Structure formats: C-alpha cells, structure tokens
Amino acid sequence: MKEFYMNEIQIKERAKEIMNQQMGNLIMAFIIYGLVSSGISTLTFGMAWIFIYGPLSLGAANILLKADKGESFAFEEVLSGFRDFGKALLAGVLTSLYIFLWSLLLFIPGIVAALSYSMTFFIMSENPQLSAEQAIEASKRMMVGHKTELFSLIISFIGWWILCIISMGIAAIYVAPYFHCSLTVFYQNLKYTQK
C-alpha cells in the first residue's frame, strides 16, 4: 500500500488552490446546499433531512470533483444529485442507518463507521454504474488503514468551525467549501494509494 503523496498541510494548500480557482461558484453552491438542507429540515422539523442528504451529498461530490480537475461548473449543479434520486437516496439512508446503528454500541464505533463510509458519494460520482451498496462497500475498502488520516484532517478544522459559531455562521460561507475541497483532495490522495 502506497503512502499518501501529500500530507495534511499539502492537502489543505491544494484545497485553497481549488477554492481560489472556483471561489464564486463553490461559495454559491454551498450557500444553496445550506439553504436547501436547512430550509427543508426546518419546514419538516428535521424529518425530511434523510430524503435530501444523499442527493445533496452526491451533487456536492459532482461539483467538487469537477473543481478539483479544473473543470467549469454552474453552482446550481450542487443539486445534480437529485437526477439520480433513487440511488442517492438509498446511499444516504443506508450510510446514515449504519452510522446510527454503530453509534448505539458506543460513540467511537459510530465515528469509525462515519469515516468508513465517507468516500461513498465521491465513488458514486465517478462510478455511476455502481449501486448504492457497491459504492458503500468500495468506500469501506478504500478507507482501510486511512481512517486516522481523515480523522486528523477533520479535527484540524475545529478552529475554523469555532470561528463559524463565533461569527453566527457567516464564516461558514468560506469554511464549508474549503472543508469539502479538502475532503476531495483527501479522496484523490486515497485513490493514488490504491493504484
């Protein structure tokens, strides 16, 4: 198994490069993501969240992978996951269910499960022929031996999320796409280690 060719600092630097190239579209895309997610959740008291989580996550993966490759995209493409609603919905429901069930054991197994399934929507985006179950299994295989690196990357954003809280969410306009760009670069690193 190959080691990552980029460390955490390099991953975040690459994410900033992606942000600089596609700043406007990424910010607008994640504003739409947030508005749709929070709006529907608020209107339905959180009950409809499970129906939009998968399609929104797939749409986000679609634009993030395009941004990483330097391809242009329209910010409304963050909703593109709704085109494959059934499969995206199933992936979202299954990953949420598995994480919930593992969390019933203890908090830590829930975190491990979330890390294991974290690449599902990137995999679905690049491999549309896969079923939801196959994408989830592929994510689990891909993350073997790499969950610690992803956990460390996520933890490194704690200061940014605290800033979001202090700024009443305003900083999230920048932080959310930056965080997700970093996850995208992590995924690309992960693919390299599998070759």
Side-chain angles (χ1 to χ4, degrees), residues 5-55:
Y5 67 91
M6 295 172 74
N7 61 33
E8 189 176 291
I9 293 170
Q10 292 169 321
I11 286 172
K12 291 170 90 170
E13 285 302 314
R14 170 65 186 140
K16 288 176 186 174
E17 289 174 13
I18 297 168
M19 283 287 292
N20 289 337
Q21 294 164 2
Q22 304 271 5
M23 182 80 74
N25 277 342
L26 284 167
I27 286 175
M28 283 302 299
F30 277 92
I31 287 174
I32 291 172
Y33 183 106
L35 289 173
V36 171
S37 180
S38 61
I40 290 178
S41 295
T42 301
L43 289 172
T44 63
F45 303 101
M47 292 183 290
W49 177 85
I50 195 68
F51 296 104
I52 61 172
Y53 164 66

Side-chain angles (χ1 to χ4, degrees), residues 1-2 4 65 112 115-124 126-127 130 134-150 183-195:
M1 184 180 292
K2 295 180 183 177
F4 275 12
L65 289 167
V112 172
L115 295 170
S116 293
Y117 307 136
S118 61
M119 301 295 116
T120 298
F121 293 102
F122 290 121
I123 292 167
M124 285 181 69
E126 291 196 312
N127 305 276
L130 295 181
Q134 288 171 326
I136 291 168
E137 285 302 314
S139 178
K140 284 170 62 178
R141 288 192 304 271
M142 204 177 205
M143 286 301 293
V144 170
H146 297 290
K147 289 185 272 298
T148 303
E149 290 103 324
L150 179 55
L183 296 183
T184 307
V185 178
F186 181 92
Y187 168 73
Q188 298 291 20
N189 267 279
L190 207 51
K191 283 200 308 183
Y192 173 79
T193 66
Q194 312 293 311
K195 292 180 181 177

Side-chain angles (χ1 to χ4, degrees), residues 8 12 150-161 179:
E8 189 176 291
K12 291 170 90 170
L150 179 55
F151 184 73
S152 176
L153 178 63
I154 292 169
I155 291 298
S156 75
F157 276 86
I158 282 180
W160 283 105
W161 294 120
F179 173 74

Side-chain angles (χ1 to χ4, degrees), residues 87-105:
K87 193 192 318 187
L89 170 66
L90 184 58
V93 168
L94 288 177
T95 54
S96 298
L97 178 62
Y98 296 155
I99 292 166
F100 171 73
L101 292 175
W102 279 108
S103 298
L104 291 178
L105 298 177

